Amino acid sequence: MGRKVHPIGFRLGITKNHQAQWYAEGREYAALLGEDRAIRKLIREENDSAGISKIEIERLPVARQVSIKIHTAKPGILIGRKGANVNLLRKKLEELTGKKIHLDILEVDNIDTDAYLIGQSIAQQLERRISHKRAMKQAVRRAMKAGAKGIMITVGGRLGGADMARRETVREGRIPRHTLRADIDYAHVEALTTFSKIGIKVWVYKGDILPESKEEISGAFSAS
């Protein structure tokens, strides 16, 4: 039971891409990795109510420039009136890194099938002392209605203020965790309640990502 693989890391280079795209060696790698963590922390702390799902960081090798793509459920809050909020965020990031920052704000297509946003929603409900069973069942129902082919949510900790920690799981549909072609979105979120921290894990299965068949590839070459 101790051998667990991260669903995203398991599929890197096959159906998933890295959220940080740059190359470095030695001490430079450690410094840039720490800088990436600081960038993500600053963005999330400054825009806690914007529903940020994913932050992609790309570094250009020639110039000292960092390109950041922020996937958010509420782009209007992140951008602000006439771009005031995003300009302030860019200024803070440039002061933090000492580099030129390019920001792209992208809207999440479907918030009900985004694993991180689902986990964040459940965490906020638990912090408001809403029943974890109710929050989990509502999230599962919304995800399946929004087009997900399967979803599994696990919460662990002192649920309901119990003296002993336990773990509960709600699942609906298929979750093929060992299938590499399966498009599974995964997130781990923590809820800070008055009793303790409660961990929330979310798996969302969106279907299979199939490679192009040999007939389609050969047909494309013959047409050209």
Side-chain angles (χ1 to χ4, degrees), residues 6 9 23 55 127 129 133 139 145 151 167 177 190:
H6 195 286
Y23 177 80
I55 301 171
E127 290 171 356
R129 297 190 177 185
K133 291 184 179 180
K145 190 176 180 180
I151 180 173
R167 184 171 59 186
R177 283 168 285 174
E190 290 183 345

Side-chain angles (χ1 to χ4, degrees), residues 187-208:
H188 176 230
V189 183
E190 290 183 345
L192 183 59
T193 66
T194 55
F195 304 106
S196 65
K197 280 187 178 181
I198 294 178
I200 304 160
K201 294 181 179 180
V202 183
W203 292 259
V204 179
Y205 174 49
K206 301 180 180 180
D208 291 343

Side-chain angles (χ1 to χ4, degrees), residues 114-124 187 189-191 200-202:
D114 188 283
Y116 187 86
L117 295 179
I118 292 171
Q120 196 176 45
S121 174
I122 295 173
Q124 291 172 355
V189 183
E190 290 183 345
I200 304 160
K201 294 181 179 180
V202 183

Side-chain angles (χ1 to χ4, degrees), residues 56 58 60 65-70 90 93-94 99-105:
E56 296 178 340
E58 183 179 0
L60 300 179
Q65 182 176 346
V66 182
S67 177
I68 303 174
K69 293 181 181 179
I70 304 175
R90 183 185 295 109
L93 289 171
E94 288 178 348
K99 300 172 184 175
K100 188 177 179 182
I101 301 293
H102 176 73
L103 287 176
D104 283 331
I105 311 300

Side-chain angles (χ1 to χ4, degrees), residues 11 21 37 45 70 108 114 135 155 171 176 201 217 221:
R11 294 169 174 82
Q21 298 182 10
R37 289 173 60 88
E45 287 181 351
I70 304 175
V108 177
D114 188 283
V155 296
R171 176 174 176 170
K201 294 181 179 180
I217 295 173
F221 279 119

Side-chain angles (χ1 to χ4, degrees), residues 52-87:
I52 295 174
S53 168
K54 185 169 60 174
I55 301 171
E56 296 178 340
I57 301 174
E58 183 179 0
R59 299 177 185 273
L60 300 179
V62 180
R64 288 173 57 84
Q65 182 176 346
V66 182
S67 177
I68 303 174
K69 293 181 181 179
I70 304 175
H71 299 256
T72 174
K74 302 173 183 177
I77 294 177
L78 193 60
I79 295 171
R81 190 172 184 179
K82 296 182 179 179
N85 292 349
V86 73
N87 290 334

